[in-house]
Amino acid sequence: TNSSSYKFEFSADSAFTAKIDARSNLTFDFGFSIEPVKKHSETNVQPLTGHKNILSIFPSNSSQVSILSDIKLVMIDESFTEMKLIKVEDDVYSTEAFEIPKKDFKIRLRGQDSLQVPIDREISKFLTAVKGSAPEVTVESAEYDFCTHENAKLKCKVKSQIPVNVEWTFGGKTLLTATANQSMELFLDLNSLN
């Protein structure tokens, strides 16, 4: 059987009424990306201007979720845009790519937990779209020592808010090309160095 953990809140409006409110302890992370993702670490906290974005939702415990059906982007003036969520992994729900609203917005999530209790939560504060920044490139070491005719393996990490083309060159020759989508590790194997 599925079990869920709930937080109960008790309150009274007057001497004649009592209110008991229960909310599951499920939490939800979210992130924006240009390409489909499988992990929260592949997303950005803010959407990017000038690109269609995908919004992905990551429940803290996917076994406590029956379905996450849709999200609303609620603007500061209370107007909203509603979008369906698609389950892409056990613990990832995503929208189709969409144009980011020009106004600041909050994210409201709807669905049902594993006990069929409705989920209707605001999961963000007001968000603003931002321009993408330059990619971050991290190389394991700035210097490598190799002997002639040895094999070598070089590694670098590329993190970018938007897909970027990456080239690894040596002596004017292109040795490796790739497209980095959000975050990527590149390995370059050099055989029989001369």
Side-chain angles (χ1 to χ4, degrees), residues 86-141:
I86 301 161
K87 186 175 186 177
V88 293
E89 296 283 330
D90 277 345
D91 55 356
V92 183
Y93 292 77
S94 296
T95 65
E96 297 286 335
F98 64 96
E99 295 290 336
I100 292 297
K102 296 194 184 326
K103 300 175 186 176
D104 292 358
F105 62 90
K106 292 181 184 181
I107 302 169
R108 185 152 201 95
L109 173 66
R110 294 189 305 189
Q112 289 184 332
D113 71 13
S114 58
L115 299 175
Q116 306 310 307
V117 175
I119 297 169
D120 189 358
R121 303 239 185 112
E122 191 171 277
I123 62 169
S124 76
K125 298 184 188 283
F126 279 107
L127 299 169
T128 303
V130 296
K131 289 183 180 179
S133 58
E136 295 174 29
V137 178
T138 308
V139 180
E140 268 188 355
S141 175

Side-chain angles (χ1 to χ4, degrees), residues 55 68-71 82-86 94-96 110:
L55 172 59
L68 297 179
S69 56
D70 58 84
I71 58 106
E82 193 169 345
M83 287 179 273
K84 295 285 181 209
L85 286 169
I86 301 161
S94 296
T95 65
E96 297 286 335
R110 294 189 305 189

Side-chain angles (χ1 to χ4, degrees), residues 26-165:
L26 269 170
T27 58
F28 301 93
D29 287 325
F30 67 89
F32 295 90
S33 61
I34 305 300
E35 300 286 328
V37 299
K38 293 185 178 185
K39 298 183 293 190
H40 186 247
S41 62
E42 298 173 335
T43 66
N44 301 299
V45 119
Q46 290 180 284
L48 297 173
T49 59
H51 301 276
K52 285 189 172 187
N53 284 245
I54 296 170
L55 172 59
S56 296
I57 308 294
F58 306 88
S60 59
N61 184 343
S62 60
S63 68
Q64 292 182 356
V65 174
S66 173
I67 188 164
L68 297 179
S69 56
D70 58 84
I71 58 106
K72 279 186 180 181
L73 303 182
V74 182
M75 275 35 98
I76 204 158
D77 64 3
E78 297 298 318
S79 62
F80 64 88
T81 300
E82 193 169 345
M83 287 179 273
K84 295 285 181 209
L85 286 169
I86 301 161
K87 186 175 186 177
V88 293
E89 296 283 330
D90 277 345
D91 55 356
V92 183
Y93 292 77
S94 296
T95 65
E96 297 286 335
F98 64 96
E99 295 290 336
I100 292 297
K102 296 194 184 326
K103 300 175 186 176
D104 292 358
F105 62 90
K106 292 181 184 181
I107 302 169
R108 185 152 201 95
L109 173 66
R110 294 189 305 189
Q112 289 184 332
D113 71 13
S114 58
L115 299 175
Q116 306 310 307
V117 175
I119 297 169
D120 189 358
R121 303 239 185 112
E122 191 171 277
I123 62 169
S124 76
K125 298 184 188 283
F126 279 107
L127 299 169
T128 303
V130 296
K131 289 183 180 179
S133 58
E136 295 174 29
V137 178
T138 308
V139 180
E140 268 188 355
S141 175
E143 285 187 30
Y144 292 92
D145 292 321
F146 299 105
C147 294
T148 304
H149 303 291
E150 265 188 352
N151 294 337
K153 187 170 197 163
L154 308 178
K155 177 181 171 183
C156 80
K157 291 181 182 180
V158 179
K159 184 169 175 129
S160 175
Q161 293 175 318
I162 59 173
V164 294
N165 293 324

